[in-house]
Amino acid sequence: MGGSPLRILVVGAGIAGLAVARALRLAGFRPDVTDKLPPGESTETGLYLPGNAARALHRLGLHDPVRPLGQVIHRQRFFDAAGAPLCEVDLDALWAGVGECRALPRADLHRVLLSGAGGAVRHGAEVRTLDLLPRGVGVTFTDGTSTEYDLVIGADGPRSSVRTLASLGGPPRPVGQVVYRAVLRDGPPVTEWTALLGQRSGMLLVPIGANRLHCYADEAGTDPPADPLARLRDLFADYRGPVPEVLAALDRVHVGITDEVELGRWHRGRVLLVGDAAHATAPTLSQGAAMALEDAVVLAESLRAAGSVEAALVAYESRRRPRTRWVRDRTRDRNRTRDVPPALRDPLLRGRGGRIFGEHYRLLVGPL
């Protein structure tokens, strides 16, 4: 169906939606892209892209505009709360032949994707109803306008309205993590991906270029505190390494909870979910953006190769489920280590941690 006049609507203009729009344009389609939010910068955060994300960006023709951004990351280093080494993962070896690992501001990647998608997004357009028709989808927006499409793609995140309207699933499930994010300028000299692991909490520091650090921390729980910065300083007061300097320099932090989405199916009629709307997980493996970029590549290939929209959606889901299931299962595996007392966990990580953590990406190193 490549180059066919299919009328396609992509709901959501985040990483998943813009990547899908870019992939569809390369395949000869001209999708409409809508987002319920007004245009504007999102919360300032950093983003770490593993090697499989770089491979997907190559396939989307976006590697060159991304390459000058952020910083290439060569290894992951794990420490205990006192700052003593636990293990490390050689990322150049792990992702050899696949792609380099890079950390950058999320807004920078969003701008590249927006340009690659053609730049035209209808903002403030929230979907009110979806009517599943025999050969299409009737869409009504909250402003009262209605349009019929051959395919509607929900790329609107873990709290997807498309998922609800198409009866593909309910709200996401909280995984029991409160997360804190911030970008720190002119902080301590952290040059690689650096994680410090405590008892049911941890902090990650990743350089994203221009003397900026992406700071991510989490703890077990479901209720965000009223004063996130005070809670963060209290939670990590006994941590060593670069943490004291980070805590002293932070003046603002964003807090939220982590959700997980697990569905029996990703499409119904001619409505399809992609990215976090279909398979959100905790960010433990840093695969959220990578899975969204891969989704885009595979969906465009499936639509181009299939003889019908229905066949394309079946082919897409059959290709993507094994990889997203792997990410979900390995994420849960790694998250379970949070409940292991450091006295038992840390000796294991010092002996085998590099191999264990590297194994979590084994399937993802393989082809799409």
Side-chain angles (χ1 to χ4, degrees):
M1 294 185 293
S4 77
L6 280 180
R7 296 162 298 171
I8 302 176
L9 173 66
V10 179
V11 181
I15 290 174
L18 294 177
V20 165
R22 167 67 176 184
L24 292 176
R25 289 177 65 86
L26 291 178
F29 304 101
R30 291 295 178 265
D32 294 337
V33 182
T34 66
D35 197 285
K36 66 181 181 181
L37 299 176
E41 293 294 333
S42 59
T43 300
E44 184 182 35
T45 60
L47 186 65
Y48 167 68
L49 299 175
N52 59 321
R55 174 173 55 192
L57 286 168
H58 268 287
R59 300 275 285 272
L60 294 171
L62 297 177
H63 178 260
D64 286 346
V66 169
R67 187 167 52 187
L69 306 174
Q71 178 173 325
V72 175
I73 304 297
H74 299 283
R75 59 185 53 82
Q76 292 177 329
R77 292 173 169 166
F78 295 84
F79 299 83
D80 64 17
L86 293 173
C87 61
E88 70 175 48
V89 177
D90 183 341
L91 296 173
D92 294 336
L94 174 63
W95 296 104
V98 178
E100 62 192 12
C101 299
R102 181 177 301 276
L104 73 168
R106 178 179 289 269
D108 285 0
L109 178 62
H110 189 270
R111 280 191 287 270
V112 169
L113 289 170
L114 181 61
S115 176
V121 175
R122 181 185 170 194
H123 286 280
E126 186 171 0
V127 175
R128 183 171 66 192
T129 64
L130 295 175
D131 183 15
L132 276 63
L133 307 172
R135 303 288 293 176
V137 185
V139 181
T140 301
F141 296 93
T142 53
D143 65 1
T145 59
S146 298
T147 312
E148 186 175 325
Y149 288 93
D150 298 301
L151 174 62
V152 172
I153 300 168
D156 49 344
R159 295 173 176 82
S160 168
S161 61
V162 172
R163 185 174 67 237
T164 301
L165 293 172
S167 299
L168 282 164
R173 183 184 70 86
V175 301
Q177 290 178 8
V178 178
V179 298
Y180 305 83
R181 292 181 173 91
V183 171
L184 180 62
R185 289 173 170 79
D186 299 318
V190 177
T191 59
E192 294 287 0
W193 189 104
T194 301
L196 294 97
L197 308 179
Q199 175 68 56
R200 307 193 75 195
S201 64
M203 180 176 287
L204 172 65
L205 304 170
V206 188
I208 58 174
N211 294 318
R212 293 167 295 180
L213 281 179
H214 168 56
C215 306
Y216 169 92
D218 59 36
E219 63 171 321
T222 57
D223 297 317
D227 188 339
L229 186 55
R231 173 58 181 164
L232 197 66
R233 287 173 172 159
D234 180 62
L235 182 63
F236 293 95
D238 295 331
Y239 278 58
R240 303 271 63 88
V243 174
E245 191 173 347
V246 167
L247 295 178
L250 284 175
D251 59 7
R252 182 174 59 176
V253 64
H254 304 282
V255 65
I257 61 172
T258 297
D259 294 321
E260 181 179 84
V261 175
E262 183 178 1
L263 303 175
R265 59 184 302 181
W266 296 345
H267 72 276
R268 182 167 176 254
R270 290 190 172 196
V271 177
L272 172 72
L273 302 176
V274 300
D276 282 349
H279 45 71
T281 65
T284 312
L285 298 188
S286 301
Q287 280 292 317
M291 288 294 101
L293 295 169
E294 288 189 359
D295 283 355
V297 171
V298 174
L299 177 57
E301 290 179 353
S302 300
L303 284 168
R304 190 167 48 208
S308 68
V309 171
E310 290 78 9
L313 301 188
V314 171
Y316 165 80
E317 190 164 336
S318 67
R319 283 182 62 183
R320 291 303 294 153
R321 273 196 176 273
R323 292 173 77 85
T324 61
R325 185 183 304 117
W326 174 275
V327 170
R328 183 195 68 213
D329 292 345
R330 301 294 80 74
T331 295
R332 290 173 177 175
D333 289 344
R334 190 178 291 191
N335 284 345
R336 278 191 284 269
T337 66
R338 299 169 183 274
D339 297 325
V340 179
L344 299 176
R345 179 197 64 200
D346 293 356
L348 173 64
L349 294 184
R350 288 191 173 96
R352 299 169 50 202
R355 292 194 302 276
I356 293 171
F357 289 157
E359 171 65 15
H360 288 162
Y361 299 95
R362 175 171 54 83
L363 182 71
L364 307 180
V365 171
L368 297 183

